[in-house]
């Protein structure tokens, strides 16, 4: 029987953005399909949808568009199908995420983001949902090699000065799992269908129960968990 994770307690949590912090799959599909429709192309195939959800936006657009159209990507996504204007209002915060993050913050657990969005894109998400400034560092495709590279997770652990074994990486894709395992962190497969990790949770209630024993206590004799 394998030993439970976090023998020294859970000290930090790294969150993927899309599919973990926010429910964005449908909205992102709208974005990519509108770009395709602008060029008179059919909607994404299931394979293209799966690739686009894990990749950076630039990688996804270059994957789904013929090479002859790659020079048009910047203009079209600025003027014709603008993500911030047209798609961000369709995003939804993942149920239970804000409460989970608030509880971690109250317990002194550090939090960070490792996303394949660019820096401008994740800042738009943080601002749109008015999320608290809990997340530091925020690692993006603008400042590190995108996942599945473990560079971002390694940099987060180094910035915190924590051993990777004391850090949880919450993700919903094979790219997230590869990044987490490459950095030596504990991977939690979140809402990821057939994806499995050291921890597997369908939602934040399940994740909270899975890590509850490793969390620091809430400060104050009268404090109690919201869960």
């Amino acid at each position: 029987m394998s030993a439970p994770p976090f023998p020294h307690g859970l000290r930090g949590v790294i969150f993927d953005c899309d599919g973990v912090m926010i429910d964005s799959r449908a909205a992102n599909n709208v974005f990519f399909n509108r770009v395709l429709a602008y060029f008179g192309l059919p909607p994404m195939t299931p394979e293209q949808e799966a690739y686009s959800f894990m990749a950076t936006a630039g990688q996804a657009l270059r994957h789904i568009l013929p090479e002859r159209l790659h020079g048009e990507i910047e203009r079209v996504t600025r003027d014709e199908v603008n993500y911030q204007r047209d798609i961000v209002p369709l995003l939804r915060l993942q149920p239970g995420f804000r409460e989970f993050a608030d509880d971690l913050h109250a317990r002194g657990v550090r939090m960070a983001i490792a996303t394949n969005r660019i820096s401008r894109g994740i800042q738009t998400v943080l601002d749109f949902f008015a999320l608290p400034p809990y997340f530091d560092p925020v690692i993006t495709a603008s400042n590190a090699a995108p996942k599945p590279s473990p560079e971002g997770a390694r940099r987060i652990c180094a910035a915190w000065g924590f051993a990777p074994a004391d850090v949880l990486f919450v993700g919903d894709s094979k790219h997230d799992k590869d990044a987490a395992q490459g950095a030596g962190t504990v991977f939690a497969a979140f809402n990821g269908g057939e994806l499995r990790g050291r921890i597997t949770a369908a939602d934040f209630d399940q994740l909270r129960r899975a890590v509850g024993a490793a969390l620091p206590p809430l400060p104050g004799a009268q404090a109690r968990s919201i869960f």
Side-chain angles (χ1 to χ4, degrees):
M1 186 174 181
S2 61
F6 316 114
H8 306 109
L10 175 56
R11 303 186 68 191
V13 179
I14 302 170
F15 293 101
D16 172 45
C17 176
D18 293 85
V20 174
M21 295 172 60
I22 60 173
D23 181 358
S24 59
R25 183 179 290 271
N28 288 348
N29 286 349
V30 168
F31 171 68
F32 293 122
N33 282 330
R34 284 185 183 178
V35 173
L36 288 169
Y38 175 82
F39 290 113
L41 297 171
M44 290 189 294
T45 65
E47 179 277 328
Q48 289 173 328
E49 287 187 10
Y51 178 91
S52 298
F53 196 68
M54 292 190 296
T56 68
Q59 288 171 336
L61 288 166
R62 290 188 293 274
H63 181 73
I64 66 176
L65 289 171
E67 188 173 354
R68 61 184 172 80
L69 297 176
H70 289 184
E72 290 287 295
I73 289 173
E74 182 176 353
R75 179 189 66 80
V76 170
T77 57
R78 182 188 66 235
D79 300 335
E80 306 295 340
V81 187
N82 183 280
Y83 191 91
Q84 183 165 349
R85 180 192 67 211
D86 302 330
I87 306 302
V88 167
L90 305 177
L91 302 177
R92 297 292 180 266
L93 202 64
Q94 199 73 256
F97 171 72
R98 191 185 298 266
E99 293 82 359
F100 185 73
D102 285 344
D103 190 60
L104 292 179
H105 179 70
R107 295 171 185 274
V109 177
R110 298 288 300 271
M111 286 174 276
I113 298 171
T115 178
N116 278 353
R117 286 177 176 261
I118 62 173
S119 295
R120 183 175 69 252
I122 188 60
Q123 191 59 52
T124 295
V125 169
L126 296 173
D127 292 343
F128 179 76
F129 290 109
L131 289 172
Y134 296 160
F135 311 100
D136 182 35
V138 176
I139 300 296
T140 73
S142 300
N143 55 33
K147 298 171 291 185
S149 168
E151 178 189 346
R154 287 174 177 162
R155 284 175 51 185
I156 291 167
C157 293
W160 286 342
F162 295 166
D166 298 333
V167 173
L168 178 69
F169 190 125
V170 187
D172 70 327
S173 74
K174 181 68 163 51
H175 279 7
D176 294 325
K177 183 174 182 177
D178 288 348
Q181 292 182 333
T185 59
V186 176
F187 180 65
F190 183 84
N191 194 26
E194 297 180 357
L195 187 69
R196 294 292 179 267
R198 182 84 181 272
I199 295 168
T200 301
D203 53 37
F204 280 105
D205 284 342
Q206 284 191 10
L207 184 60
R208 173 62 177 78
R209 289 193 292 272
V211 301
L215 289 172
L218 283 163
Q222 302 303 315
R224 65 182 181 86
S225 173
I226 62 173
F227 296 92

